[in-house]
Amino acid sequence: MGRYLREHAEVVAGRRVFDLASGSGLCAIAAMRASAASATASDIDPFAIAAIRLNADANACRVSTIGRDVLDEPPPEAEVILAGDCLYDADLARRVLPWLLTARNAGIDVLIGDPGRAHLPVDDLVELANYEVRTTSDLEDLQRTRASVYRLR
Ligand SMILES: C[S@@+](CC[C@H](N)C(=O)[O-])C[C@H]1O[C@@H](n2cnc3c(N)ncnc32)[C@H](O)[C@@H]1O
């Protein structure tokens, strides 16, 4: 997702961006570096919220954080939602996908970054880009894999 936003800044430039399940803050930071009007990063893990703040500061980006679970709430006030690797778990995917579809139906552009997880709703997606990416062998069983960025139809 970070690489895609670097190559296609027009997707977020001047827009309010919401980064769901932000982890390190990477997608929100990439959006701000691509001239987003604002970026809000959400994650339920307090360590992620701390990391997002540190990484945003290290990259001289202003990123707001939300530490609660937003998946039972209406879609955020945003023009673009970024969802990077949120579909790695069946239970999470069951909650994330309807929330993203509701956001899409409300007119929000939804981009999903995914390294080929089993829960990807391929029929609802348009592939925008496919990249070879490095992985961390602490977490994954490969050193490199392919990952795609999709738009929710
Ligand atoms: C695989 S990481 C993805 C991080 C980041 N989006 C990226 O692409 O690098 C998944 C993240 O989802 C977060 N997460 C899990 N359930 C969540 C929920 N209900 N709401 C928000 N974040 C959640 C985890 O804490 C974790 O940081």
Side-chain angles (χ1 to χ4, degrees):
M1 184 74 87
R3 180 166 161 192
Y4 182 77
L5 296 180
R6 196 176 63 202
E7 294 174 357
H8 299 276
E10 71 279 2
V11 171
V12 291
R15 300 202 166 115
R16 292 169 301 163
V17 172
F18 189 91
D19 180 12
L20 177 69
S22 184
S24 65
L26 189 151
C27 297
I29 291 166
M32 289 308 288
R33 291 176 69 132
S35 301
S38 64
T40 300
S42 77
D43 203 292
I44 53 166
D45 183 344
F47 287 105
I49 297 297
I52 293 162
R53 291 179 179 154
L54 287 170
N55 286 328
D57 283 351
N59 285 277
C61 290
R62 188 185 293 262
V63 172
S64 308
T65 53
I66 293 182
R68 65 177 188 277
D69 189 331
V70 299
L71 295 176
D72 295 321
E73 299 179 9
E77 296 283 324
E79 278 96 33
V80 183
I81 292 177
L82 306 174
D85 200 9
C86 296
L87 304 173
Y88 56 88
D89 171 85
D91 290 339
L92 186 57
R94 255 193 294 278
R95 298 185 63 222
V96 166
L97 289 170
W99 190 83
L100 292 178
L101 282 166
T102 301
R104 180 71 202 101
N105 291 336
I108 301 173
D109 194 14
V110 175
L111 299 188
I112 296 174
D114 190 90
R117 303 290 188 194
H119 312 291
L120 199 64
V122 280
D123 292 343
D124 293 330
L125 302 175
V126 177
E127 188 179 62
L128 303 175
N130 179 272
Y131 301 111
E132 186 178 77
V133 294
R134 278 199 308 271
T135 66
T136 153
S137 49
D138 290 346
L139 294 173
E140 309 285 349
D141 52 4
L142 295 169
Q143 292 203 320
R144 301 189 79 82
T145 187
R146 295 204 71 88
S148 293
V149 176
Y150 301 92
R151 173 170 280 131
L152 204 51
R153 280 185 214 275

